[in-house]
């Protein structure tokens, strides 16, 4: 699977790339890689396994955490 070929609506769960336990592993890996804490209550449960919405959510959380102290 070529990541460059995946669309924003690619669903990791429905495509069989991950299972329900894989979701937890994926979230943990994202948090470790980007050194952020994802608040799963603010992300729509139906969107967590879809590439586009998940990527946007992670990017937004990373921006909020990495803001300069004087902002």
């Amino acid at each position: 699977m070529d990541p460059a070929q995946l669309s924003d609506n690619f669903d990791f769960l429905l495509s069989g790339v991950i299972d329900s336990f894989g979701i937890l592993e994926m979230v943990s890996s994202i948090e470790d890689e980007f050194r952020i804490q994802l608040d799963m209550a603010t992300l729509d449960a139906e969107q967590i396994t879809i590439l586009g919405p998940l990527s946007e959510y992670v990017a937004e959380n990373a921006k909020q955490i990495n803001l300069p102290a004087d902002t």
Side-chain angles (χ1 to χ4, degrees), residues 4-53:
Q5 301 296 320
L6 299 178
S7 67
D8 282 349
N9 64 354
F10 180 81
D11 191 315
F12 295 103
L13 186 63
L14 293 179
S15 67
V17 172
I18 60 173
D19 60 13
S20 57
F21 291 112
I23 295 170
L24 299 174
E25 290 179 38
M26 179 180 69
V27 168
S28 178
S29 293
I30 290 169
E31 290 178 336
D32 290 346
E33 179 69 26
F34 296 102
R35 297 182 183 163
I36 60 176
Q37 183 68 41
L38 299 179
D39 180 3
M40 303 318 293
T42 61
L43 180 62
D44 183 350
E46 294 179 10
Q47 302 287 305
I48 193 170
T49 62
I50 302 174
L51 180 59

Side-chain angles (χ1 to χ4, degrees), residues 51-68:
L51 180 59
L54 178 61
S55 297
E56 290 173 15
Y57 180 78
V58 170
E60 187 61 35
N61 274 278
K63 274 196 265 183
Q64 290 175 5
I65 290 172
N66 294 317
L67 289 175

